[in-house]
Amino acid sequence: MRRLTSVVAAALLAFAGLGAASGAPAQAATEAEYVALGDSYASGVGAAPYDASSGDCLRSPTSYPRLYAAAHPKYALKDVTCSGATIADVRNDQLSALSEKTSLVTLTVGGNDAQFASVVQACLTQSDSYCATATNWMSHYARNQLVTELGGLYKDIKARAPHALVLVLGYPRTISPTGSCGAIDLSAAKRTSMNGMADALAEGTLAASISSSVYFIDMRNQFNGHEACGSDPWINGVDLSRLTEVFHPNAAGYQKGYAAKLSATWG
């Protein structure tokens, strides 16, 4: 996300044709191309330090694509995720990494299109009613226009990578109902509003995945009890010295949340 300021069966048929040519080295015979797409939740923002070569994209060695690839050496990872990416950014800057050789694609995107950073800023600095208005507006977008926009992106991904399994990982609910959030706290009403927006993002993403025949992985239950501000958070709270990471998963969130759920879903 921007800085704070069944489908599987068809994919199995595609995987069946991934065998390497006769005589190729054993390692090459088992290696499959994995392309990671998406925004800061995919690049690993919140789990510093970041790969210096990734610049402003802030790719972390403990992002879920890198953790998954490390645990599944049959995959050769192309990580083109980037903090701040919108649907248009993924289409314009990341889809070129895909090809007919791609066998696995993961994607998390849509939060920036729903103005996540602006909504968080509004809820941290404005009144309960202002926060409710901002989250309600973006929730309506997430359940309606976002569905069409994501559906178009999914179809573009499948056109470029026709043999790939496409796994879309959603966003968790951000904030625990109780507990301190750090430098700036949030009322119960604001927490409810922000988590309602997370639900809307999940519902919109699910609807888009169904219409486009890609597989949606809902992260809300995986993070249940581990939201920001709670007793065992897998999501960063409010640290004014690290604004980019506010309400993004920490290292435990990427490992125990995203990577664990991805492995449980797809081996």
Side-chain angles (χ1 to χ4, degrees):
M1 295 187 179
R2 287 197 189 280
R3 298 180 179 186
L4 184 59
T5 31
S6 218
V7 174
V8 172
L12 285 170
L13 296 177
F15 267 75
L18 289 175
S22 177
Q27 182 177 0
T30 59
E31 195 170 72
E33 184 177 275
Y34 166 25
V35 177
L37 308 172
D39 61 20
S40 57
Y41 268 64
S43 72
V45 169
Y50 306 106
D51 183 347
S53 67
S54 69
D56 290 341
C57 286
L58 300 179
R59 298 185 190 115
S60 170
T62 52
S63 67
Y64 76 75
R66 297 196 184 196
L67 290 172
Y68 183 81
H72 298 81
K74 68 179 180 179
Y75 288 113
L77 174 64
K78 287 185 180 179
D79 183 0
V80 293
T81 59
C82 193
S83 177
T86 62
I87 292 169
D89 293 329
V90 171
R91 178 178 284 114
N92 296 332
D93 302 331
Q94 299 181 17
L95 294 195
S96 60
L98 302 171
S99 72
E100 291 191 355
K101 297 186 297 181
T102 306
S103 56
L104 175 64
V105 176
T106 60
L107 169 68
T108 300
V109 75
N112 292 317
D113 299 271
Q115 302 297 313
F116 173 78
S118 296
V119 170
V120 168
Q121 186 172 29
C123 290
L124 286 173
T125 62
Q126 303 295 328
S127 66
D128 287 4
S129 61
Y130 193 101
C131 176
T133 298
T135 54
N136 287 341
W137 183 264
M138 287 300 106
S139 294
H140 181 268
Y141 162 80
R143 292 187 174 98
N144 294 279
Q145 184 178 340
L146 181 65
V147 177
T148 301
E149 294 172 354
L150 285 174
L153 178 64
Y154 299 159
K155 290 174 183 176
D156 289 347
I157 290 171
K158 293 182 71 176
R160 284 179 175 262
H163 307 300
L165 170 67
V166 182
L167 301 177
V168 177
L169 288 80
Y171 303 100
R173 294 187 184 96
T174 312
I175 309 169
S176 172
T178 60
S180 173
C181 286
I184 301 175
D185 213 347
L186 291 160
S187 67
K190 288 180 177 180
R191 295 177 192 222
T192 298
S193 294
M194 291 185 65
N195 286 335
M197 180 176 165
D199 287 335
L201 280 169
E203 292 162 16
T205 306
L206 173 60
S209 70
I210 292 171
S211 67
S212 305
S213 297
V214 301
Y215 193 88
F216 173 61
I217 301 176
D218 192 336
M219 297 304 303
R220 290 174 294 174
N221 284 342
Q222 188 75 8
F223 277 79
N224 188 33
H226 300 286
E227 300 89 349
C229 315
S231 59
D232 183 20
W234 293 354
I235 298 176
N236 292 296
V238 182
D239 182 344
L240 297 182
S241 69
R242 306 186 71 88
L243 290 177
T244 302
E245 299 179 343
V246 171
F247 298 142
H248 284 73
N250 56 28
Y254 288 115
Q255 181 178 19
K256 299 177 183 179
Y258 274 93
K261 183 68 171 180
L262 181 56
S263 291
T265 303
W266 187 248

